[in-house]
Amino acid sequence: MATLQYTGVFALLIAEICVFILLILPMPARWKRAMITWSSRSSVAQRVLYGVRIAFGFVFLLFADAVMRLRKVQQSKESTRIIDEHTLCQQKVQQFYAQRNTYLTGITMFLGLILISTHSLIGQLVENTSSSAAPRLVSSGPGSAKAQVEKLKGELSDARKEVEELNRKDRDMATLRKQAESNHQEYMRLADENEKLQKLLDASSESKKDA
């Protein structure tokens, strides 16, 4: 059952990534305006957003459960002296799954917040551009129109910078995820080496006793 739940969280994460790429994908302003308008006013989109909010509630509960399980595994590891190799392997597996579930649910919630902010920002920019561009351009004379065009270029430049900042945050999140995976692999490698050294020490002590 838990595997099915985290499979659903992974599917939600993939859907978030696809929607985020669709939002930041370069496309004509008319298409993006139509897409933002549909997602803001369509009853189907509103139902989907309502279901996503409910899903985020479950993801938060799974995140809290994963954090508690991770702490429980770490406390059990610190308080229990492992002698049996099977028990040690089982404990490592439990720790791996707890860490994976924590990262998965945490990244899903974080990307969801970025996605909501990006959607809101792009929607505001599209609405402001569409509602104010035409009246400003025809308000008075060629000189005024040129000044308004320059102003709009400045606003679009600021919007691009904000979108690039959001993209940078997304890349930072991916970097942190890779770093966490690398740290986990390094931990598993050191644990294996420690286990091998322990076996060598035990074998050496037994051979000395026999001698």
Side-chain angles (χ1 to χ4, degrees), residues 88-140:
L88 178 62
C89 181
Q90 185 178 6
Q91 190 179 68
K92 289 181 180 179
V93 170
Q94 291 176 353
Q95 185 177 14
F96 169 75
Y97 281 122
Q99 290 176 341
R100 183 205 64 178
N101 296 336
T102 303
Y103 298 147
L104 177 63
T105 51
I107 291 172
T108 302
M109 290 192 300
F110 182 71
L111 184 57
L113 294 176
I114 293 179
L115 184 61
I116 292 172
S117 301
T118 305
H119 179 273
S120 177
L121 176 63
I122 295 177
Q124 292 176 3
L125 292 174
V126 170
E127 289 180 0
N128 293 335
T129 303
S130 61
S131 62
S132 62
R136 288 178 180 177
L137 289 175
V138 299
S139 58
S140 61

Coordinates of all heavy atoms in Angstrom, one line a residue, residues 88-140:
L88 N 21.7 -6.0 10.0 CA 22.3 -4.7 9.6 C 21.8 -4.4 8.2 O 21.6 -3.2 7.9 CB 23.8 -4.9 9.6 CG 24.7 -3.8 9.1 CD1 24.5 -2.5 9.9 CD2 26.1 -4.1 9.0
C89 N 21.8 -5.4 7.3 CA 21.3 -5.1 5.9 C 19.8 -4.6 5.9 O 19.5 -3.7 5.2 CB 21.4 -6.4 5.1 SG 20.9 -6.2 3.4
Q90 N 19.0 -5.2 6.8 CA 17.6 -4.8 6.8 C 17.5 -3.4 7.4 O 16.7 -2.6 6.9 CB 16.9 -5.8 7.8 CG 15.4 -5.5 7.8 CD 14.6 -6.5 8.7 OE1 15.3 -7.3 9.3 NE2 13.3 -6.4 8.7
Q91 N 18.3 -3.0 8.3 CA 18.3 -1.7 8.8 C 18.7 -0.6 7.8 O 18.2 0.4 7.7 CB 19.2 -1.6 10.0 CG 19.1 -0.3 10.8 CD 20.0 -0.3 12.0 OE1 21.2 -0.2 11.9 NE2 19.4 -0.3 13.2
K92 N 19.7 -1.0 7.0 CA 20.2 -0.1 5.9 C 19.1 0.1 4.8 O 18.9 1.2 4.3 CB 21.4 -0.7 5.2 CG 22.7 -0.6 6.1 CD 23.9 -1.1 5.3 CE 25.1 -1.0 6.2 NZ 26.3 -1.6 5.5
V93 N 18.4 -1.0 4.6 CA 17.3 -0.9 3.6 C 16.2 0.0 4.1 O 15.6 0.8 3.4 CB 16.7 -2.3 3.3 CG1 15.4 -2.2 2.5 CG2 17.7 -3.1 2.5
Q94 N 15.8 -0.1 5.4 CA 14.8 0.7 6.0 C 15.2 2.2 5.9 O 14.4 3.1 5.6 CB 14.6 0.3 7.4 CG 13.9 -1.0 7.5 CD 13.7 -1.5 9.0 OE1 14.2 -0.8 9.9 NE2 13.0 -2.6 9.2
Q95 N 16.5 2.4 6.2 CA 17.0 3.8 6.2 C 17.0 4.4 4.8 O 16.6 5.5 4.5 CB 18.4 3.9 6.7 CG 19.0 5.3 6.8 CD 20.4 5.3 7.4 OE1 21.0 4.3 7.5 NE2 20.8 6.5 7.8
F96 N 17.3 3.5 3.8 CA 17.3 4.0 2.4 C 15.9 4.4 2.0 O 15.7 5.4 1.4 CB 17.8 2.9 1.5 CG 17.6 3.1 0.0 CD1 18.4 4.1 -0.7 CD2 16.6 2.4 -0.6 CE1 18.1 4.3 -2.0 CE2 16.4 2.7 -2.0 CZ 17.1 3.6 -2.7
Y97 N 14.9 3.5 2.3 CA 13.5 3.8 1.9 C 13.0 5.1 2.6 O 12.3 5.9 2.0 CB 12.6 2.6 2.2 CG 12.7 1.5 1.2 CD1 13.1 0.2 1.5 CD2 12.5 1.8 -0.2 CE1 13.2 -0.8 0.5 CE2 12.6 0.8 -1.1 CZ 12.9 -0.5 -0.8 OH 13.0 -1.4 -1.7
A98 N 13.4 5.2 3.9 CA 12.9 6.4 4.6 C 13.5 7.7 4.0 O 12.8 8.7 3.8 CB 13.3 6.3 6.1
Q99 N 14.8 7.6 3.7 CA 15.4 8.8 3.0 C 14.8 9.1 1.7 O 14.5 10.2 1.3 CB 16.9 8.6 2.9 CG 17.6 8.6 4.2 CD 19.1 8.3 4.1 OE1 19.5 7.7 3.0 NE2 19.9 8.6 5.1
R100 N 14.6 8.0 0.9 CA 14.0 8.2 -0.4 C 12.6 8.8 -0.3 O 12.3 9.8 -1.1 CB 13.9 6.9 -1.2 CG 13.4 6.9 -2.6 CD 12.7 5.6 -3.0 NE 11.6 5.3 -2.2 CZ 10.8 4.2 -2.5 NH1 11.1 3.4 -3.4 NH2 9.7 4.0 -1.7
N101 N 11.8 8.3 0.6 CA 10.4 8.9 0.7 C 10.4 10.3 1.2 O 9.6 11.1 0.7 CB 9.6 8.0 1.7 CG 9.4 6.6 1.2 OD1 9.5 6.3 -0.1 ND2 9.2 5.6 2.1
T102 N 11.4 10.6 2.1 CA 11.5 12.0 2.5 C 11.8 13.0 1.4 O 11.2 14.0 1.2 CB 12.5 12.1 3.6 OG1 12.2 11.2 4.7 CG2 12.6 13.5 4.2
Y103 N 12.9 12.6 0.6 CA 13.3 13.4 -0.5 C 12.1 13.5 -1.6 O 11.9 14.6 -2.1 CB 14.5 12.8 -1.2 CG 15.7 12.8 -0.3 CD1 16.7 11.8 -0.4 CD2 15.9 13.8 0.7 CE1 17.8 11.7 0.4 CE2 17.0 13.7 1.5 CZ 18.0 12.7 1.4 OH 19.1 12.7 2.2
L104 N 11.5 12.4 -1.8 CA 10.4 12.4 -2.9 C 9.3 13.3 -2.5 O 8.9 14.2 -3.3 CB 9.9 11.0 -3.1 CG 8.8 10.8 -4.1 CD1 9.3 11.3 -5.5 CD2 8.3 9.4 -4.1
T105 N 8.8 13.2 -1.3 CA 7.6 14.0 -0.9 C 8.0 15.5 -0.7 O 7.3 16.4 -1.0 CB 7.0 13.5 0.4 OG1 8.1 13.3 1.4 CG2 6.4 12.1 0.2
G106 N 9.2 15.7 -0.1 CA 9.7 17.1 0.0 C 9.9 17.8 -1.3 O 9.5 19.0 -1.4
I107 N 10.5 17.2 -2.3 CA 10.7 17.8 -3.6 C 9.4 18.0 -4.3 O 9.2 19.0 -4.9 CB 11.6 16.9 -4.4 CG1 13.1 16.9 -3.8 CG2 11.7 17.4 -5.9 CD1 14.0 16.0 -4.5
T108 N 8.4 17.1 -4.1 CA 7.1 17.3 -4.7 C 6.4 18.5 -4.2 O 5.8 19.3 -4.9 CB 6.3 16.0 -4.5 OG1 6.9 14.9 -5.0 CG2 4.9 16.2 -5.2
M109 N 6.4 18.7 -2.8 CA 5.8 19.9 -2.3 C 6.5 21.2 -2.7 O 5.9 22.2 -3.0 CB 5.8 19.8 -0.7 CG 4.8 18.7 -0.2 SD 4.6 18.8 1.6 CE 6.2 18.6 2.2
F110 N 7.9 21.1 -2.7 CA 8.6 22.3 -3.0 C 8.4 22.7 -4.5 O 8.2 23.9 -4.8 CB 10.1 22.0 -2.8 CG 11.0 23.2 -3.1 CD1 11.1 24.3 -2.3 CD2 11.8 23.2 -4.2 CE1 11.9 25.4 -2.5 CE2 12.7 24.3 -4.5 CZ 12.7 25.4 -3.6
L111 N 8.4 21.8 -5.4 CA 8.1 22.1 -6.8 C 6.7 22.5 -7.0 O 6.4 23.4 -7.9 CB 8.4 20.9 -7.7 CG 8.3 21.1 -9.2 CD1 9.2 22.2 -9.7 CD2 8.6 19.8 -9.9
G112 N 5.8 22.0 -6.2 CA 4.4 22.5 -6.3 C 4.3 23.9 -5.9 O 3.5 24.7 -6.6
L113 N 5.0 24.4 -4.9 CA 4.9 25.8 -4.5 C 5.5 26.6 -5.6 O 5.0 27.7 -5.9 CB 5.7 26.0 -3.2 CG 5.1 25.3 -2.0 CD1 6.0 25.5 -0.7 CD2 3.7 25.9 -1.7
I114 N 6.6 26.2 -6.2 CA 7.2 26.9 -7.3 C 6.3 27.0 -8.5 O 6.1 28.1 -9.1 CB 8.6 26.3 -7.7 CG1 9.6 26.4 -6.6 CG2 9.1 26.9 -9.0 CD1 10.9 25.8 -6.9
L115 N 5.6 25.9 -8.8 CA 4.7 25.9 -9.9 C 3.5 26.8 -9.7 O 3.1 27.6 -10.6 CB 4.1 24.4 -10.1 CG 3.2 24.2 -11.2 CD1 4.0 24.5 -12.5 CD2 2.7 22.7 -11.2
I116 N 3.0 26.9 -8.5 CA 1.9 27.8 -8.2 C 2.3 29.3 -8.3 O 1.6 30.1 -8.9 CB 1.3 27.5 -6.8 CG1 0.6 26.2 -6.7 CG2 0.3 28.6 -6.3 CD1 0.3 25.7 -5.3
S117 N 3.5 29.6 -7.8 CA 4.0 30.9 -7.9 C 4.3 31.3 -9.4 O 4.0 32.4 -9.8 CB 5.3 31.0 -7.1 OG 5.1 30.7 -5.8
T118 N 4.8 30.4 -10.2 CA 5.1 30.7 -11.6 C 3.8 30.9 -12.3 O 3.7 31.8 -13.2 CB 5.9 29.5 -12.2 OG1 7.1 29.2 -11.4 CG2 6.3 29.8 -13.6
H119 N 2.8 30.0 -12.1 CA 1.5 30.2 -12.8 C 0.9 31.6 -12.4 O 0.4 32.3 -13.3 CB 0.6 29.1 -12.4 CG -0.7 29.1 -13.0 ND1 -1.8 29.9 -12.4 CD2 -1.2 28.6 -14.2 CE1 -2.9 29.8 -13.2 NE2 -2.5 29.0 -14.3
S120 N 0.9 31.9 -11.2 CA 0.4 33.2 -10.7 C 1.1 34.4 -11.4 O 0.5 35.3 -11.8 CB 0.4 33.3 -9.2 OG -0.1 34.6 -8.8
L121 N 2.5 34.3 -11.4 CA 3.3 35.4 -11.9 C 3.0 35.5 -13.4 O 2.8 36.7 -13.9 CB 4.7 35.1 -11.7 CG 5.8 36.1 -12.3 CD1 5.6 37.4 -11.7 CD2 7.2 35.6 -12.0
I122 N 3.0 34.4 -14.2 CA 2.8 34.5 -15.6 C 1.4 35.0 -15.9 O 1.2 35.8 -16.9 CB 3.1 33.2 -16.3 CG1 4.6 32.8 -16.1 CG2 2.7 33.2 -17.8 CD1 4.9 31.4 -16.7
G123 N 0.4 34.6 -15.1 CA -0.9 35.0 -15.3 C -1.1 36.5 -15.1 O -1.7 37.2 -15.9
Q124 N -0.4 37.1 -14.1 CA -0.5 38.5 -13.9 C 0.2 39.3 -15.0 O -0.3 40.3 -15.4 CB 0.2 38.8 -12.5 CG -0.6 38.3 -11.3 CD 0.1 38.6 -10.0 OE1 1.2 39.2 -10.0 NE2 -0.4 38.1 -8.9
L125 N 1.4 38.8 -15.4 CA 2.1 39.4 -16.5 C 1.3 39.4 -17.8 O 1.2 40.4 -18.5 CB 3.4 38.7 -16.8 CG 4.5 38.9 -15.7 CD1 5.7 38.0 -16.0 CD2 4.9 40.3 -15.5
V126 N 0.6 38.3 -18.1 CA -0.2 38.2 -19.3 C -1.4 39.2 -19.3 O -1.7 39.9 -20.2 CB -0.6 36.8 -19.6 CG1 -1.7 36.7 -20.7 CG2 0.6 35.9 -20.0
E127 N -2.0 39.2 -18.1 CA -3.2 40.1 -18.0 C -2.8 41.6 -18.0 O -3.5 42.4 -18.7 CB -3.9 39.8 -16.6 CG -4.6 38.5 -16.6 CD -5.3 38.2 -15.2 OE1 -5.2 39.1 -14.4 OE2 -5.9 37.2 -15.1
N128 N -1.7 41.9 -17.4 CA -1.2 43.3 -17.4 C -0.8 43.7 -18.8 O -1.2 44.8 -19.3 CB -0.1 43.5 -16.5 CG -0.5 43.4 -15.0 OD1 -1.7 43.5 -14.6 ND2 0.5 43.0 -14.2
T129 N -0.2 42.8 -19.5 CA 0.3 43.1 -20.9 C -0.9 43.3 -21.8 O -1.0 44.2 -22.6 CB 1.2 42.0 -21.4 OG1 2.3 41.9 -20.5 CG2 1.7 42.4 -22.8
S130 N -1.9 42.4 -21.7 CA -3.0 42.4 -22.7 C -3.9 43.6 -22.4 O -4.6 44.1 -23.3 CB -3.8 41.1 -22.6 OG -4.3 40.9 -21.3
S131 N -4.1 44.0 -21.1 CA -5.0 45.0 -20.7 C -4.5 46.4 -20.9 O -5.2 47.4 -21.1 CB -5.5 44.8 -19.3 OG -4.4 45.0 -18.4
S132 N -3.1 46.5 -20.9 CA -2.6 47.9 -21.0 C -1.8 48.2 -22.2 O -1.5 49.3 -22.5 CB -1.7 48.1 -19.7 OG -0.6 47.2 -19.8
A133 N -1.4 47.2 -23.0 CA -0.5 47.4 -24.2 C -1.2 48.3 -25.2 O -0.7 49.3 -25.7 CB -0.1 46.1 -24.8
A134 N -2.5 47.9 -25.6 CA -3.2 48.6 -26.7 C -3.5 50.0 -26.3 O -3.2 50.9 -27.1 CB -4.4 47.8 -27.1
P135 N -4.1 50.3 -25.2 CA -4.5 51.7 -24.9 C -3.2 52.6 -24.8 O -3.3 53.7 -25.2 CB -5.2 51.6 -23.5 CG -5.7 50.2 -23.5 CD -4.7 49.4 -24.2
R136 N -2.1 52.1 -24.3 CA -0.9 52.9 -24.1 C -0.3 53.2 -25.5 O 0.1 54.3 -25.7 CB 0.1 52.1 -23.3 CG -0.2 52.1 -21.8 CD 0.8 51.3 -21.1 NE 0.5 51.2 -19.7 CZ 1.2 50.5 -18.8 NH1 2.3 49.8 -19.2 NH2 0.9 50.5 -17.5
L137 N -0.4 52.3 -26.4 CA 0.2 52.5 -27.7 C -0.6 53.5 -28.5 O 0.0 54.3 -29.3 CB 0.3 51.2 -28.5 CG 1.3 50.2 -28.0 CD1 1.2 48.9 -28.7 CD2 2.7 50.8 -28.1
V138 N -1.9 53.6 -28.4 CA -2.7 54.6 -29.2 C -3.1 55.8 -28.4 O -4.0 56.6 -28.9 CB -4.0 53.8 -29.7 CG1 -3.6 52.7 -30.6 CG2 -4.8 53.4 -28.5
S139 N -2.6 56.0 -27.2 CA -3.0 57.1 -26.4 C -2.7 58.4 -27.0 O -3.6 59.3 -27.1 CB -2.4 57.0 -25.0 OG -0.9 57.0 -25.1
S140 N -1.5 58.7 -27.5 CA -1.2 59.9 -28.1 C 0.1 59.9 -28.8 O 1.2 59.5 -28.3 CB -1.1 61.0 -27.0 OG -0.1 60.8 -26.1

